[in-house]
Amino acid sequence: MEDEIKTAETMEDYAEELEASFKKVREGDILTGTVISVEDDRVVVDLKYYAEGIITKENFSSDPDLNLKESVHVGDEISATVIKTDDGEGNILLSKKEANDVLAWDKLKQMMEERTIVPVKISEIVKGGAVAYLEGIRGFIPASKLAAEYVENLDEWNGKTIEVTVITADEDQKRLVLSGREVARAKKAEETRKKVEKCQVGAVMEGTVETLKDYGAFVTLENGLTGLLHISQISNQRIKHPGAVLKEGQTVKVKIIGLKDGKISLSMKAVESQDEPEEVFDYKESGNATTGLGALLKGIKLS
């Protein structure tokens, strides 16, 4: 009786493998398995089948710089296309690269719709931008979409890993376009917001005049933030243009007079008023007060 129970349990344990053994695998089928081994030039996959699946480096991705041991780990689940049912050694030869043509575009379209942020490594600099691979597909990043601002020297970005979103995923045209600009700008805005939160109205700082406009000047403060110095806050005297008092590159001392919606309002006039010497008063016990000049004239008789 115990032997029958053990036999039943054993059969149940191997039910999945037994069922798989009756399946006919054909070239072109897409199979899903679990990675059981990663070598420099190939990945071995458990397909729950009579034979293991082998994916060579060339059949894994179009990325020439791909490092299998860094990109794939034991336990990962992988879907790949059968390209040979027997590689000559009893294994099933698979291609993740071919499966990508079927599966990756759907995933890329989903990333585009959901605005998913993903890291990619720039593998090549080309005319007008850079190349990076995502889900094994070659993607183009225009120079205008590489960073928060337009990048002049693209070569400095070669080999860098950046965060991007998918902005075009056209399967018919095999066209994948990525952008790091939105992510970089969002990060920059968040960093600015945190810095602004640390600023206090009334704080006096040094800054550099970056640009002059008809309505005022933009000043970069010592903490890296930029604030607006309105024309009405430049001088105690009325001026027609900021250029009458300021020039680009000039170092100025300003006071923070306002913080609203991440914008900083500055004033030079408030600093000047603060630096002006206060009028001196001499107080007597009687409660009468006289100015400093009055004290000097004390005792002088006027006829």
Side-chain angles (χ1 to χ4, degrees):
M1 185 67 176
E2 288 183 4
D3 290 340
E4 288 179 5
I5 293 172
K6 285 181 180 178
T7 303
E9 287 177 348
T10 303
M11 293 293 286
E12 191 176 305
D13 289 341
Y14 289 95
E16 193 175 349
E17 284 80 358
L18 285 168
E19 185 181 347
S21 68
F22 291 109
K23 289 180 180 177
K24 181 70 175 176
V25 174
R26 298 178 178 82
E27 291 183 9
D29 288 350
I30 295 178
L31 304 179
T32 300
T34 305
V35 175
I36 57 175
S37 174
V38 182
E39 300 170 20
D40 289 331
D41 59 350
R42 70 176 195 167
V43 174
V44 182
V45 181
D46 178 14
L47 300 169
K48 300 295 182 186
Y49 198 64
Y50 68 86
E52 292 176 341
I54 303 294
I55 310 175
T56 63
K57 184 177 180 179
E58 293 74 20
N59 286 320
F60 194 89
S61 171
S62 299
D63 185 353
D65 298 322
L66 178 76
N67 185 316
L68 285 178
K69 288 188 173 181
E70 289 180 1
S71 304
V72 190
H73 305 92
V74 172
D76 287 353
E77 192 173 85
I78 287 180
S79 294
T81 302
V82 177
I83 51 179
K84 277 189 180 179
T85 54
D86 190 337
D87 65 350
E89 297 180 1
N91 300 308
I92 299 173
L93 193 60
L94 303 169
S95 172
K96 185 176 183 296
K97 191 162 61 174
E98 283 193 23
N100 271 350
D101 290 342
V102 179
L103 303 174
W105 286 105
D106 288 338
K107 191 169 182 180
L108 292 170
K109 287 174 186 174
Q110 184 179 357
M111 287 181 179
M112 180 177 66
E113 290 168 2
E114 297 177 356
R115 308 297 292 170
T116 306
I117 297 171
V118 288
V120 295
K121 184 179 180 181
I122 295 171
S123 60
E124 184 185 358
I125 298 300
V126 294
K127 185 178 179 181
V131 170
Y133 286 82
L134 181 57
E135 295 296 318
I137 303 294
R138 186 180 189 271
F140 176 66
I141 311 173
S144 61
K145 303 283 188 181
L146 196 57
E149 308 297 337
Y150 184 84
V151 175
E152 294 289 346
N153 189 352
L154 289 170
D155 292 331
E156 291 180 354
W157 290 77
N158 198 15
K160 282 189 177 183
T161 296
I162 65 170
E163 290 185 323
V164 299
T165 54
V166 177
I167 58 174
T168 301
D170 189 334
E171 183 178 3
D172 294 334
Q173 299 294 324
K174 303 297 181 190
R175 187 166 177 262
L176 175 64
V177 183
L178 310 172
S179 173
R181 186 176 65 181
E182 290 77 13
V183 181
R185 285 186 175 179
K187 280 189 173 182
K188 189 176 180 180
E190 179 62 16
E191 289 172 2
T192 299
R193 185 188 65 79
K194 287 180 178 178
K195 285 183 179 180
V196 170
E197 283 182 351
K198 292 180 181 179
C199 289
Q200 292 183 345
V201 173
V204 176
M205 295 184 180
E206 280 198 347
T208 303
V209 178
E210 292 297 330
T211 53
L212 297 176
K213 303 289 183 181
D214 291 339
Y215 51 85
F218 286 98
V219 177
T220 300
L221 303 173
E222 55 198 58
N223 61 6
L225 297 177
T226 298
L228 174 63
L229 177 61
H230 192 267
I231 189 169
S232 64
Q233 294 296 326
I234 293 176
S235 173
N236 284 312
Q237 297 181 353
R238 189 171 181 178
I239 57 175
K240 291 183 177 181
H241 191 276
V245 176
L246 304 172
K247 60 181 179 180
E248 292 181 0
Q250 180 179 342
T251 300
V252 293
K253 189 180 283 188
V254 292
K255 185 184 226 181
I256 297 175
I257 59 171
L259 296 168
K260 187 177 180 182
D261 300 328
K263 296 178 181 178
I264 303 173
S265 298
L266 306 171
S267 174
M268 284 175 59
K269 194 164 68 171
V271 176
E272 290 175 6
S273 299
Q274 185 175 295
D275 291 340
E276 285 178 2
E278 295 182 5
E279 193 173 11
V280 178
F281 289 87
D282 292 328
Y283 291 93
K284 296 185 178 181
E285 290 183 6
S286 62
N288 296 325
T290 58
T291 64
L293 180 59
L296 292 174
L297 296 176
K298 181 184 176 183
I300 298 178
K301 295 180 180 180
L302 300 176
S303 54

